[in-house]
Amino acid sequence: EVQLVESGGGLVQPGRSLRLSCAASGFTFDDYAMHWVRQAPGKGLEWVSGISWNSGTIDYADSVKGRFTISRDNAKNSLYLQMNSLRADDTAFYYCAKVRLAALPRGALDYWGQGTLVSVSS
Amino acid sequence: EIVLTQSPGTLSLSPGERATLSCRASQRVSGSYLAWYQQKPGQAPRLLIYSASIRATGIPDRFSGSGSGTDFTLTISRLEPGDFAVYYCQQYGSSPGTFGGGTKVQIK
């Protein structure tokens, strides 16, 4: 059974940093691209960042470019999102999600974690 | 960046009725790489349809997707109580992989 479990969310002051993790199990992690998608409370989905299976292709939304860094450790079956210079409008649930097809950098997202809440406030 | 516009914003229907949801793209979606997701309150999104018209594993055949280019449709042939939720489209043919704003299907 595929499982994605996010952690690392919490309350943080504007300008500070936070690192999210996503622990994956139930599939061959290093075959698949992974993405982060966020959702502000009561709002729609916003794609944040994606990383290919071998970290060779990395993309970011313009809203986080230069502030967020996605990475993965295939030996640990883990995905990360380093978030720096956080702003109030980064407040959201952050989901990690798996791309459906192996070896492609983008695709439909067939498995999602339960999300971790990041709140940015003074 | 491709902007996806979903309509209507809210759809009020009764169980057993047919739901038709629209997703319009600001530019052609490459390869018809368009997905639909369902999200219920307090839950993560669930993949329903990919490549515009292919049902994901375990999705009942009352859900169908169609369209190409810039116009796509999700149809739910006969609404069941568990289908009342918010539905999002997403294009993944080009980066960034943008989502539409969502359509809420609520009980009339």
Side-chain angles (χ1 to χ4, degrees):
Chain A
E1 179 194 3
V2 172
Q3 284 199 325
L4 299 170
V5 180
E6 302 95 338
S7 60
L11 176 63
V12 61
Q13 294 178 326
R16 303 298 291 265
S17 299
L18 210 57
R19 188 195 197 206
L20 305 183
S21 300
C22 171
S25 61
F27 65 103
T28 305
F29 182 72
D30 54 11
D31 280 349
Y32 293 89
M34 298 291 295
H35 290 248
W36 289 98
V37 177
R38 69 183 181 183
Q39 185 172 37
K43 303 298 184 182
L45 300 172
E46 180 188 14
W47 176 82
V48 173
S49 183
I51 185 168
S52 62
W53 65 276
N54 63 351
S55 304
T57 300
I58 289 175
D59 294 309
Y60 298 100
D62 286 346
S63 58
V64 306
K65 200 171 293 184
R67 300 187 299 123
F68 289 12
T69 302
I70 191 172
S71 63
R72 63 190 296 160
D73 185 337
N74 288 343
K76 295 183 178 180
N77 288 352
S78 293
L79 175 72
Y80 305 102
L81 187 67
Q82 177 67 42
M83 304 185 295
N84 298 333
S85 303
L86 282 161
R87 312 185 304 220
D89 62 0
D90 294 318
T91 294
F93 287 92
Y94 284 74
Y95 296 98
C96 67
K98 167 190 167 291
V99 168
R100 192 183 68 86
L101 284 179
L104 297 179
R106 292 188 304 273
L109 303 173
D110 61 349
Y111 287 93
W112 297 61
Q114 84 289 350
T116 187
L117 178 61
V118 173
S119 295
V120 183
S121 174
S122 54
Chain B
E1 169 177 321
I2 296 178
V3 176
L4 299 179
T5 301
Q6 291 188 241
S7 61
T10 302
L11 202 49
S12 298
L13 295 168
S14 301
E17 289 193 297
R18 181 185 189 92
T20 303
L21 287 65
S22 173
C23 176
R24 179 161 292 176
S26 60
Q27 307 169 39
R28 189 182 70 87
V29 175
S30 171
S32 291
Y33 291 137
L34 191 287
W36 290 93
Y37 302 87
Q38 176 194 67
Q39 188 179 33
K40 297 179 181 179
Q43 296 185 15
R46 177 175 71 144
L47 176 65
L48 298 176
I49 300 285
Y50 62 91
S51 296
S53 62
I54 303 174
R55 277 187 298 278
T57 303
I59 302 303
D61 60 7
R62 66 178 181 277
F63 290 91
S64 63
S66 63
S68 63
T70 60
D71 288 297
F72 299 87
T73 300
L74 175 69
T75 301
I76 310 171
S77 59
R78 293 175 310 280
L79 283 164
E80 295 194 358
D83 298 337
F84 292 93
V86 180
Y87 293 83
Y88 295 94
C89 57
Q90 181 212 13
Q91 69 80 24
Y92 51 92
S94 58
S95 184
T98 44
F99 287 90
T103 291
K104 182 178 183 179
V105 179
Q106 65 181 21
I107 298 176
K108 187 175 182 180

